[in-house]
Amino acid sequence: MKFDEPRFAPGGDQYLQVSFGDDATLELNFLALGLASATRESELPGIVDTNPGYNSLLVEYDADAISFPDLERELRALADGLGPSDDLELQSRLLYLPVMYLDPWTRACVDDYREKIAEREYDPDFVAQVNGLEDVQQLVRTHSGTEHWAVTIGSIPGLPLLRPLDPRCAIYSPKYNPARTWTPQGAIGVGGPSTSIYTVASPGGYNIIGRTPVLVFDPSGRYSVFNEGGVLLRPADRVKFVPIGLEEFAYIERRMQDGTYEYNFVGYDTFSVSAYNTWVATLDHEGRF
Amino acid sequence: MIDVIEPGLETAVQDYPGRKGQVGLGFPPSGPIDHWSFRLANLLVENPPNAAGLEIAFTGPTLRFGEDAAIALTGSDMQATLDGQPVSVWESVAVRAGQALAMSYSLQGGRAYLAVAGGIDAPLFLGSRSTCVLASVGGWEGGPLEPGQTLPVGAERGGDAGRRVRVEARPTLPRDKTWSIDCVRGPNDDWIDDVAHARWFGEGWMISSRSNRIGFRLEGPDWTFTPKARDKGPENGDDPSNIIDHGYPVGGVNLSGQTPIILMNDGLSLGGFINPYTIPHSEFWKLGQSMPGDTYQFREVTVGEAQERRRAIDALCKPDAIES
């Protein structure tokens, strides 16, 4: 539910958290990202950093430049100035990201978990089943049938938290318990209402349904498309997963290795929340691909 | 140049205040945990405040210096010797080319800081030389020091031997391994019931040995929750401590199931657990100097009180803290 007024809470002596509501709707994230952008543009003194969550924004500040009450008042004014989320236009690039769904590497990872940690179904079967999909092929159609919205970036450097924009492609999946001890780099995971891309090989709790040969975190500086810190995506970017087969995976992997891969970004449009909402209202939300 | 003969348990390049302004991309600040002692080390050798030095945890390294240099050790006393002669903590010391500084285990406190005049000239990554363990970037080759590495030293070298930190400007370590730690409520204090708040502020919490620069795990009584933690949408997650993914403050007391984990300098930038309390910046020197098995007693303070305490420490980290 969206709160009538944004709520403010301290995080120690250097942080202030602004919350717009208590669920995970895209509307709340649009507001959080809108406030992040408005805060940056305001050039308020003492703002050190902004860190968006699903429905909140954590603002880091320098108390020698702005007091907590003053910051709260300024942020309240900026939040009011956003107006309804329908008025928001957010800078949003679209990335086409090749993915081999149902790939051998995540399958081997699940097999290893089954052998060493706990019995469980093969992740794509499990996710298809809990979402009432016919089979894993429909899971692939569903997951690749929409643009995904970058809700925020982080946890570890460069890790994107993504959410499908088309309600017909919404999936929900319980996370691993206990967590996996390792996950291959590039694995595509789904957990709760979100999707993520494992930037590096790491432990994890999302169900893994595919793998991309393309790096989304690369601090080496080989590719100019990355920002200075080696992070590919920004909050409010969109990702379209493009299904590929084994041969294409191997080809792209080679081009990544020799540094000749062309990242496929589209950067000519902004994301209009009202246009999006108008489109969503025309859809049959129970529909599936 | 400094040759790493033995790296010690965990020795890494850090600067203060670390990698700020990049948490929106998931980069934690890193930097020295005990920023008070770290800043004093730079002052002793007349380095600028942003010069990089070494943070040395629990057991120190053996380092050989390639040139004459002024160095200073602050924080934990790790029984340092220079070619066999004891080296004082809280003082600048002259080192001659070819001499080796050997450190052992800590006698008191958890972390020592080494500054060398000129600073460790590690490459800048996103504006900082601090080591980011979560992404293996920054610092020297992205991680703690390893045997055989050679660290360059910056060219701007001032600093004389024989300068000391005034006693009243140094942090004082407790003798009984119990620490009083200031703690601010929020942002998610309304998920915890009054019984659990009373336990948090009333009882002692022991630092687990499974603690590191990402998080300090604490052992103590059970947690109980308000209805808010139970009656919530499924997108929050199954456990009472789960919440919809949100940004994490450094110092957040991150409740994972029943285990509180203080989010440290290399901590996660966001996630799906509540932060009922936040440990303010002023208290981080205590976290840096405590050891697994030590006990924390948390004391509730307001945001304003925490900011005043931080200003008081900042005021001590000035050139007049040093006497010659």
Side-chain angles (χ1 to χ4, degrees):
Chain A
M1 188 191 67
K2 180 173 181 257
F3 302 144
D4 292 336
E5 290 286 328
R7 295 182 188 172
F8 298 82
D13 58 332
Q14 299 179 312
Y15 300 88
L16 187 160
Q17 189 172 56
V18 188
S19 301
F20 289 95
D22 60 5
D23 54 18
T25 60
L26 280 166
E27 184 198 3
L28 298 178
N29 186 245
F30 296 149
L31 289 167
L33 297 186
L35 182 61
S37 164
T39 305
R40 275 194 306 273
E41 284 160 16
S42 71
E43 295 181 8
L44 265 180
I47 303 291
V48 176
D49 213 344
T50 58
N51 183 9
Y54 247 115
N55 56 26
S56 61
L57 185 70
L58 187 68
V59 178
E60 183 179 352
Y61 67 102
D62 173 3
D64 291 340
I66 191 165
S67 71
F68 182 90
D70 285 350
L71 179 62
E72 179 177 335
R73 192 167 48 247
E74 296 284 356
L75 290 171
R76 193 182 293 280
L78 286 172
D80 287 348
L82 296 177
S85 61
D86 252 14
D87 291 355
L88 289 170
E89 300 255 338
L90 295 161
Q91 287 297 319
S92 175
R93 302 170 303 169
L94 173 63
L95 173 72
Y96 287 88
L97 193 71
V99 174
M100 183 178 179
Y101 287 99
L102 318 174
D103 65 288
W105 303 279
T106 56
R107 183 183 279 274
C109 178
V110 178
D111 285 344
D112 185 65
Y113 180 93
R114 282 202 287 221
E115 195 176 302
K116 293 179 181 154
I117 299 178
E119 188 46 48
R120 64 177 287 112
E121 271 180 277
Y122 177 46
D123 290 10
D125 287 329
F126 172 73
V127 176
Q129 205 177 82
V130 296
N131 285 282
L133 302 174
E134 287 159 19
D135 53 21
V136 293
Q137 294 309 327
Q138 194 183 17
L139 173 65
V140 173
R141 284 199 300 283
T142 302
H143 194 262
S144 63
T146 177
E147 292 175 1
H148 282 76
W149 177 255
V151 168
T152 185
I153 306 293
S155 183
I156 63 171
L159 188 83
L161 184 67
L162 305 168
R163 175 72 185 268
L165 279 165
D166 188 329
R168 295 168 296 182
C169 297
I171 50 176
Y172 187 87
S173 33
K175 297 172 193 173
Y176 272 54
N177 185 17
R180 272 188 312 277
T181 53
W182 65 280
T183 313
Q185 179 184 58
I188 307 299
V190 291
S194 310
T195 282
S196 196
I197 305 163
Y198 284 82
T199 50
V200 293
S202 60
Y206 280 25
N207 297 276
I208 42 183
I209 62 170
R211 187 171 181 229
T212 178
V214 174
L215 293 177
V216 295
F217 177 66
D218 180 23
S220 74
R222 281 184 310 170
Y223 286 97
S224 60
V225 67
F226 287 80
N227 79 17
E228 195 195 343
V231 174
L232 185 65
L233 292 163
R234 297 191 290 251
D237 279 344
R238 286 160 296 141
V239 177
K240 175 75 178 66
F241 294 107
V242 181
I244 57 169
L246 194 54
E247 255 179 60
E248 182 72 359
F249 189 102
Y251 170 75
I252 295 171
E253 197 172 39
R254 274 198 307 279
R255 295 205 43 189
M256 281 301 305
Q257 279 159 3
D258 28 342
T260 59
Y261 179 72
E262 286 290 336
Y263 278 85
N264 190 349
F265 260 119
V266 178
Y268 49 73
D269 50 359
T270 55
F271 185 86
S272 153
V273 174
S274 65
Y276 169 71
N277 287 338
T278 305
W279 171 70
V280 166
T282 66
L283 301 175
D284 167 14
H285 291 212
E286 304 304 312
R288 287 289 194 191
F289 294 113
Chain B
M1 286 190 315
I2 302 172
D3 290 324
V4 180
I5 314 288
E6 291 288 341
L9 193 64
E10 187 186 11
T11 302
V13 175
Q14 305 292 354
D15 61 7
Y16 183 78
R19 195 165 285 106
K20 286 292 197 177
Q22 304 294 343
V23 76
L25 298 175
F27 289 94
S30 305
I33 302 178
D34 174 2
H35 50 80
W36 185 357
S37 296
F38 181 89
R39 284 183 281 176
L40 291 172
N42 265 338
L43 285 165
L44 279 168
V45 296
E46 295 175 77
N47 276 345
N50 63 349
L54 296 178
E55 178 177 277
I56 300 160
F58 309 133
T59 300
T62 299
L63 306 169
R64 189 181 305 282
F65 290 82
E67 302 110 315
D68 293 359
I71 65 165
L73 285 168
T74 61
S76 167
D77 181 353
M78 296 191 187
Q79 312 172 67
T81 58
L82 195 58
D83 282 355
Q85 296 300 306
V87 176
S88 299
V89 186
W90 310 109
E91 269 187 49
S92 60
V93 175
V95 175
R96 284 189 310 282
Q99 281 192 306
L101 178 77
M103 298 172 73
S104 179
Y105 60 89
S106 63
L107 290 176
Q108 199 186 9
R111 286 173 177 81
Y113 294 92
L114 172 71
V116 55
I120 307 285
D121 194 16
L124 285 168
F125 181 84
L126 288 176
S128 164
R129 296 183 167 84
S130 287
T131 309
C132 174
V133 296
L134 282 180
S136 303
V137 294
W140 193 251
E141 297 177 350
L145 298 188
E146 292 175 22
Q149 289 175 331
T150 298
L151 309 176
V153 175
E156 298 290 322
R157 297 173 202 173
D160 293 321
R163 291 157 50 85
R164 280 184 308 279
V165 180
R166 291 178 198 280
V167 173
E168 60 275 19
R170 302 174 191 172
T172 311
L173 276 52
R175 298 251 163 226
D176 62 356
K177 301 179 74 62
T178 298
W179 301 80
S180 172
I181 309 278
D182 290 356
C183 176
V184 181
R185 280 192 187 227
N188 306 120
D189 49 322
D190 54 348
W191 290 53
I192 300 299
D193 70 9
D194 288 342
V195 175
H197 284 305
R199 288 188 195 121
W200 177 253
F201 289 111
E203 303 197 23
W205 294 79
M206 196 184 80
I207 310 159
S208 155
S209 57
R210 293 168 62 207
S211 296
N212 55 32
R213 285 182 48 93
I214 296 173
F216 278 19
R217 302 169 82 94
L218 304 179
E219 294 169 10
D222 281 349
W223 290 83
T224 44
F225 298 86
T226 57
K228 188 169 186 162
R230 290 184 298 269
D231 309 331
K232 60 187 177 189
E235 65 271 39
N236 283 275
D238 299 331
D239 194 87
S241 67
N242 281 140
I243 191 169
I244 292 165
D245 284 336
H246 63 155
Y248 285 171
V250 175
V253 176
N254 193 233
L255 192 60
S256 169
Q258 286 283 336
T259 305
I261 302 171
I262 303 174
L263 300 165
M264 298 301 295
N265 301 49
D266 284 326
L268 305 182
S269 69
L270 61 92
F273 292 106
I274 55 170
N275 297 304
Y277 315 100
T278 306
I279 308 301
H281 194 58
S282 62
E283 305 308 283
F284 269 62
W285 74 268
K286 300 175 186 170
L287 305 184
Q289 294 306 342
S290 51
M291 300 277 277
D294 287 6
T295 300
Y296 292 154
Q297 298 272 1
F298 294 103
R299 186 176 83 101
E300 186 173 351
V301 297
T302 64
V303 170
E305 287 165 344
Q307 291 168 344
E308 279 311 307
R309 184 63 197 136
R310 193 262 307 151
R311 287 189 186 101
I313 292 174
D314 286 353
L316 293 171
C317 296
K318 298 288 180 210
D320 60 10
I322 309 298
E323 58 190 7
S324 354

